[in-house]
Amino acid sequence: MHPQIPDLMTAIEITEPGGPDRLAPKQRPVPQPAAGEVLIKVATAGVNRPDCLQRQGSYPPPPGASDIPGLEVAGTIAALGEGVNNWRIGDEVCALLTGGGYAEYCTAPAPQCLPVPTGLTLQQAAALPETFFTVWSNVFDRARLQPGEILLVHGGASGIGTTAIQLASALGSRVFATVGGIEKIQACLDLGAEHVINYREQDFVQTVKEVTRNRGVDVILDMVGGDYMQRNLSALAVEGRLVFIAFLRGAKVELSLAPVMMKRLTITGSTLRARPIEDKAPIAAALQKKVWPLLASGAIRPIIDRIFPFTEAAAAHALMESNRHVGKILLQVDGSLAPSLPSP
């Protein structure tokens, strides 16, 4: 290990399955990078809904992954594993992880690391990996969204939602979104959505059909599932694509498949965490080539709701589960950086 790297670090453990109060700081050995990995001194970590599911006991880490929660970080490379020659100690990176991000140090596969986009802080960069990998692989790879097509994003004010709205709009598609309150509507409009539907007061299927003159939308990004399934099929246009990334209202439904046949629909979806490095590396390469220039130019930006001190992970999870946030929630791990919101 590098002589400046301590033997022990502080990490946030899940003491037992349950509520946010089951998160607690503990001392852990600093991990050592295996072949093909880097060790990152974490500055900031992202908080994501899968972290909450893991804390509740319903989303265990895949085999070989750290039991410490946290799927994305930004920080400085502190050590290199065998065979890593495309990064240097001291490089500032953001990285997608299978776990371990809520800690002062974490390891990451070198192909899942990306440089901090020009002009962004480490805090802002920590808000990128999980949402941008997810949106790119599902909306653009699997659902094949094209310029001029219409994307409907459920949960438009979430971290995934604010990323999808901006990215689809910047690449030439039209975007509709659903949100759970009138206070979130303007935020989505400001990010490029044409129409924002408050699902607590409006039927999104009816609104979509009215706005599109009964045509429907081309792609739906859904994290809701449950009773949205049949309604999603109704809202899709001919040759439409429905892509699932979560099932907040349940994964089991009874539905009519007639619209799938009549409109030649495609239903797909994916998870990201358990996929092999060989699957994630091309996504990272595509992001660096096609999306990182948009971030560097300011055409799109990470939307950050709040940054909590590292030791207040429980409060960060409580905010996530309240659904009151707009954009990303972060944990400031490096105490030399005060928790604050970056300048717009």
Side-chain angles (χ1 to χ4, degrees):
M1 297 291 285
H2 192 280
Q4 295 180 340
I5 299 171
D7 294 327
L8 296 176
M9 66 177 185
T10 302
I12 303 299
E13 287 187 353
I14 301 170
T15 58
E16 61 181 354
D21 61 337
R22 297 300 190 264
L23 297 172
K26 303 286 184 179
Q27 289 292 293
R28 286 283 193 100
V30 172
Q32 297 190 33
E37 293 183 339
V38 301
L39 178 70
I40 299 173
K41 186 180 189 300
V42 179
T44 311
V47 176
N48 294 280
R49 199 165 292 274
D51 303 341
C52 299
L53 296 176
Q54 179 177 335
R55 190 206 71 234
Q56 294 164 5
S58 59
Y59 189 43
S66 171
D67 64 311
I68 298 169
L71 302 177
E72 61 185 345
V73 298
T76 305
I77 292 181
L80 304 174
E82 182 181 354
V84 176
N85 52 28
N86 58 329
W87 295 108
R88 295 182 179 181
I89 293 174
D91 285 348
E92 292 188 341
V93 297
C94 56
L96 182 73
L97 315 173
T98 54
Y102 292 13
E104 292 179 305
Y105 289 87
C106 71
T107 57
Q112 292 173 204
C113 297
L114 286 162
V116 174
T118 302
L120 268 64
T121 65
L122 283 171
Q123 290 178 329
Q124 291 171 307
L128 301 176
E130 175 70 12
T131 56
F132 278 82
F133 270 77
T134 298
V135 170
W136 186 266
S137 62
N138 284 283
V139 174
F140 296 95
D141 284 346
R142 300 198 65 78
R144 309 177 309 282
L145 181 68
Q146 301 298 311
E149 289 188 325
I150 304 174
L151 167 68
L152 172 62
V153 180
H154 290 309
S158 66
I160 291 287
T162 55
T163 297
I165 291 169
Q166 290 188 88
L167 196 48
S169 179
L171 294 176
S173 299
R174 300 171 61 192
V175 185
F176 299 172
T178 64
V179 296
I182 58 174
E183 70 280 0
K184 297 179 179 180
I185 292 176
Q186 191 59 51
C188 293
L189 292 171
D190 291 342
L191 294 174
E194 285 186 27
H195 298 279
V196 183
I197 303 158
N198 179 2
Y199 66 78
R200 299 184 191 279
E201 298 180 356
Q202 299 170 275
D203 181 340
F204 75 82
V205 177
Q206 180 180 349
T207 302
V208 162
K209 290 186 175 182
E210 289 175 355
V211 172
T212 64
R213 298 182 180 180
N214 217 39
R215 175 186 178 276
V217 298
D218 300 286
V219 174
I220 298 177
L221 179 62
D222 184 49
M223 58 192 81
V224 181
D227 60 351
Y228 269 38
M229 181 66 180
Q230 193 75 60
R231 298 165 69 193
N232 284 330
L233 299 182
S234 297
L236 282 168
V238 172
E239 302 284 358
R241 288 86 74 195
L242 171 61
V243 57
F244 286 104
I245 58 171
F247 302 101
L248 296 179
R249 292 195 184 181
K252 295 182 179 181
V253 295
E254 182 176 333
L255 74 159
S256 169
L257 293 174
V260 177
M261 300 171 64
M262 297 297 294
K263 294 194 285 186
R264 303 183 298 280
L265 304 179
T266 298
I267 302 173
T268 185
S270 73
T271 59
L272 186 62
R273 187 180 190 183
R275 293 170 69 179
I277 298 169
E278 292 75 15
D279 279 6
K280 297 173 186 174
I283 303 172
L287 288 173
Q288 186 167 357
K289 179 180 179 181
K290 299 177 180 179
V291 178
W292 258 225
L294 296 174
L295 288 160
S297 71
I300 60 177
R301 68 189 193 281
I303 305 302
I304 299 172
D305 185 277
R306 187 167 173 187
I307 304 173
F308 288 85
F310 178 43
T311 53
E312 296 181 16
H317 275 221
L319 177 59
M320 171 70 72
E321 293 177 335
S322 75
N323 293 320
R324 296 194 308 270
H325 60 293
V326 174
K328 295 287 294 188
I329 301 168
L330 303 177
L331 296 176
Q332 192 60 52
V333 179
D334 185 347
S336 66
L337 296 174
S340 62
L341 286 174
S343 299

